[in-house]
């Protein structure tokens, strides 16, 4: 009996060691297709053979709910932290900074440690001795737990950039003027960078963000012919990554996600122009001076009062103004923010005094001159995360993924703990849960999918 017990124990330890070794060797690639709506996967017109193959052979969710606000940086941060914006405090596409002259600005290229209040899955992987990489991920500048990086603003003197130049894939001048090129070309170079990192360095975790679809859908509207072409183009980029991983000889897993969906709009609202009409935005010395200022994000806008001493008198007037404004669905006050998964101004200096939500067909835009409304033929996002058209995509395929799994709606809070499980690392203090039904490496359940 003792010999049998010892044999079973040794077998268990051997299996555990083999399992841990496999996770150490595993490559997990997370591909974010910015602005890819869940409803698009159901459209038979869409030529996306690679994504359909991954969904057929792996796991797919009917929809993945984003967090509020349904914009790029907050949701990409949730994808890697497993917590909502109330906890990680990334509310905008950058850091909201109040300047000494009273103005505010949104500064995207600030260090990750200033932006993200929470531990990420790449932090956990790095601290466990694994290697990490990112291509065009956001809220990640200056991250000390990323081994290799190709940032949103490429550096012609950067390591990966130099290797792409040496391979003849891009020139230094093109890198220096990266924003002057087309969104599709940018995503092609980003994919080349990801393949270079995978082939040369074989990181355990690679985060890849492709965003030409978001640009196209803003300009031409979701599910336009241009949008369909962009999705087909992205499908080819995903295929490049799949082919690269297949040839690597290492166990590999791909998660394909998006950060939010998209809505077509026919009208735009310029909240700062509306504020100017009321005298709360005016010009002094050639610059806008304001008592209240809105930061528009498509389906919602965050309104900030400059002087805290004026909040008690000004906020009720702002509520009355925006409540009766055509195209506004609702106005949320500070006490409502927690229910939306957002921090209060007492919890974060990024939090607004008010959040205004647009009706379907309307979107908020920047600009403080002229009329308060206008027409549009494009698209936007940023609506509340309960909106069916804001739902994102989730597909998982490869090593460690159960084939043929079909999930209902999941939360993007579940992505980070699922990545952590695939890598064999631990993430504490997360709101989400690993997707047990998707994973082959787990046998217990905590009530999640």
């Amino acid at each position: 009996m003792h010999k049998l017990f010892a044999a079973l124990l040794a077998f268990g330890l051997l299996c555990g060691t083999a399992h841990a070794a496999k996770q150490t060797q595993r490559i997990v690639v997370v591909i974010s297709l910015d602005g890819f709506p869940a409803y698009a996967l159901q459209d038979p017109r869409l030529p996306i053979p690679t994504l359909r193959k991954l969904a057929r052979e792996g796991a797919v969710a009917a929809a993945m709910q984003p967090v509020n606000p349904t914009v790029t940086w907050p949701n990409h941060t949730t994808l890697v932290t497993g917590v909502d914006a109330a906890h990680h405090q990334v509310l905008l596409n950058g850091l909201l900074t109040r300047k000494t002259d009273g103005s505010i600005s949104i500064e995207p290229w600030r260090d990750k440690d200033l932006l993200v209040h929470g531990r990420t899955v790449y932090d956990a992987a790095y601290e466990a001795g694994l290697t990490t990489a990112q291509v065009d991920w956001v809220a990640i500048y200056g991250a000390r737990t990323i081994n290799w990086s190709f940032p949103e603003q490429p550096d012609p003197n950067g390591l990966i950039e130099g290797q792409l130049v040496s391979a003849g894939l891009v020139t230094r001048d093109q890198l220096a003027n990266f924003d002057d090129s087309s969104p599709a070309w940018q995503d092609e170079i980003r994919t080349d960078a990801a393949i270079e990192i995978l082939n040369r360095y074989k990181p355990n975790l690679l985060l890849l963000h492709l965003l030409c679809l978001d640009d196209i859908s803003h300009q031409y509207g979701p599910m336009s012919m241009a949008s369909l072409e962009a999705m087909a183009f992205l499908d080819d980029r995903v295929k490049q990554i799949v082919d690269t991983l297949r040839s690597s000889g290492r166990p590999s897993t791909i998660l394909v996600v998006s950060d939010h969906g998209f809505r077509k709009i026919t009208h735009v609202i310029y909240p700062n122009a509306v504020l100017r009409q009321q005298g709360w935005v005016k010009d002094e010395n050639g610059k806008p001076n304001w008592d209240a200022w809105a930061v528009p994000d498509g389906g919602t806008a965050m309104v900030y009062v400059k002087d805290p001493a004026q909040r008690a008198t000004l906020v009720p007037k702002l509520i009355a103004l925006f409540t009766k404004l055509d195209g506004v669905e609702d106005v949320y006050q500070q006490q409502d923010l927690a229910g939306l998964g957002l921090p209060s101004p007492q919890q974060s200096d990024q939090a607004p005094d008010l959040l205004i939500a647009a009706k379907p067909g309307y979107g908020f835009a920047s600009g403080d001159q002229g009329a308060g409304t206008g027409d549009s033929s494009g698209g936007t996002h940023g609506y509340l995360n309960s909106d069916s058209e804001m739902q994102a995509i989730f597909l998982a395929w490869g090593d460690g993924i159960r084939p043929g799994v079909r999930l209902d709606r999941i939360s993007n809070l579940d992505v980070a703990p699922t990545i952590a499980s695939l890598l064999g690392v631990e993430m504490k203090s997360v709101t989400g849960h690993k997707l047990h039904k998707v994973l082959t490496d787990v046998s217990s359940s905590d009530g999640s999918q």
Side-chain angles (χ1 to χ4, degrees):
M1 180 64 72
H2 292 297
K3 291 182 178 179
L4 177 60
F5 177 78
L8 290 172
L9 179 61
F11 179 74
L13 290 172
L14 180 62
C15 290
T17 302
H19 175 64
K22 185 175 183 181
Q23 288 177 313
T24 303
Q25 290 296 313
R26 179 180 286 152
I27 299 174
V28 177
V29 178
V30 182
I31 306 175
S32 171
L33 307 180
D34 197 307
F36 202 120
Y39 59 77
L41 286 178
Q42 313 305 320
D43 193 318
R45 300 176 300 162
L46 192 55
I48 48 169
T50 303
L51 292 179
R52 296 200 193 283
K53 176 183 175 63
L54 299 186
R56 185 171 62 250
E57 296 181 357
V60 62
M64 182 170 71
Q65 185 176 37
V67 299
N68 289 315
T70 58
V71 292
T72 297
W73 286 46
N75 278 280
H76 277 84
T77 305
T78 291
L79 288 168
V80 294
T81 60
V83 297
D84 62 17
H87 294 86
H88 63 58
Q89 298 186 19
V90 179
L91 275 66
L92 303 159
N93 288 342
L95 184 72
L96 183 139
T97 304
R98 292 171 171 84
K99 299 189 176 180
T100 54
D101 63 0
S103 64
I104 60 175
S105 63
I106 310 301
E107 300 178 356
W109 318 127
R110 301 297 296 271
D111 279 355
K112 171 253 185 181
D113 288 344
L114 289 174
L115 278 161
V116 181
H117 296 258
R119 188 166 178 256
T120 68
V121 69
Y122 57 83
D123 293 333
Y126 184 90
E127 291 161 7
L130 304 181
T131 53
T132 61
Q134 70 90 10
V135 174
D136 193 50
W137 208 259
V138 295
I140 203 170
Y141 270 74
R144 291 167 291 181
T145 53
I146 292 291
N147 295 97
W148 302 285
S149 179
F150 184 90
E152 189 168 358
Q153 295 288 315
D155 178 4
N157 297 314
L159 174 66
I160 305 303
E161 293 91 329
Q163 290 163 358
L164 296 183
V165 171
S166 297
L169 297 170
V170 68
T171 67
R172 289 179 57 86
D173 184 64
Q174 287 173 323
L175 290 170
N177 299 281
F178 201 69
D179 286 343
D180 294 339
S181 53
S182 73
W185 179 85
Q186 291 171 352
D187 278 354
E188 189 172 85
I189 298 302
R190 290 167 183 141
T191 306
D192 289 339
I195 291 171
E196 174 70 16
I197 292 170
L198 289 170
N199 283 334
R200 187 183 291 260
Y201 300 109
K202 298 176 174 55
N204 296 106
L205 175 64
L206 170 67
L207 306 172
L208 170 60
H209 175 213
L210 302 176
L211 47 75
C212 71
L213 175 61
D214 184 83
D215 292 338
I216 294 296
S217 295
H218 274 296
Q219 185 170 357
Y220 299 103
M223 307 309 288
S224 61
M225 294 305 294
S227 174
L228 296 178
E229 292 286 346
M231 286 185 270
F233 170 82
L234 290 173
D235 190 79
D236 285 340
R237 307 288 74 74
V238 174
K239 184 178 186 301
Q240 284 184 269
I241 300 298
V242 171
D243 291 344
T244 299
L245 291 175
R246 277 178 164 164
S247 64
S248 72
R250 289 179 59 179
S252 304
T253 313
I254 293 179
L255 303 184
V256 181
V257 298
S258 60
D259 49 353
H260 53 72
F262 246 93
R263 267 195 176 277
K264 184 172 178 58
I265 58 172
T266 53
H267 300 86
V268 289
I269 302 169
Y270 302 99
N272 289 315
V274 174
L275 292 171
R276 179 180 286 278
Q277 292 166 6
Q278 300 298 314
W280 292 321
V281 174
K282 38 194 173 293
D283 291 323
E284 289 185 5
N285 300 320
K287 294 182 179 181
N289 187 20
W290 52 277
D291 298 310
W293 187 261
V295 179
D297 250 331
T300 54
M302 297 189 183
V303 183
Y304 297 84
V305 174
K306 183 164 81 171
D307 185 357
Q310 290 187 335
R311 281 177 179 150
T313 56
L314 188 52
V315 166
K317 296 176 183 178
L318 293 169
I319 293 171
L321 171 67
F322 287 118
T323 298
K324 67 181 182 182
L325 186 65
D326 188 32
V328 171
E329 181 79 43
D330 212 337
V331 179
Y332 296 91
Q333 303 179 51
Q334 286 188 24
Q335 61 267 29
D336 303 318
L337 297 180
L340 298 175
L342 301 173
S344 68
Q346 291 73 36
Q347 296 170 310
S348 172
D349 62 0
Q350 303 295 292
D353 293 286
L354 294 174
L355 179 78
I356 51 179
K359 293 179 179 178
Y362 289 79
F364 297 108
S366 58
D368 60 88
Q369 303 290 335
T373 59
D375 296 329
S376 174
S377 58
T380 196
H381 48 89
Y383 300 89
L384 296 185
N385 68 342
S386 55
D387 187 326
S388 63
E389 296 192 20
M390 290 300 101
Q391 306 311 296
I393 65 169
F394 174 88
L395 301 94
W397 176 89
D399 188 65
I401 301 299
R402 295 183 188 276
V405 174
R406 302 293 176 264
L407 301 175
D408 195 9
R409 190 173 75 168
I410 66 170
S411 168
N412 68 355
L413 295 164
D414 299 333
V415 173
T418 300
I419 298 169
S421 181
L422 287 164
L423 293 172
V425 301
E426 186 177 10
M427 288 195 74
K428 297 179 180 179
S429 303
V430 296
T431 307
H433 305 278
K434 57 188 173 185
L435 296 166
H436 290 282
K437 292 182 180 178
V438 166
L439 302 171
T440 62
D441 297 340
V442 293
S443 58
S444 61
S445 174
D446 58 5
S448 57
Q449 295 197 66

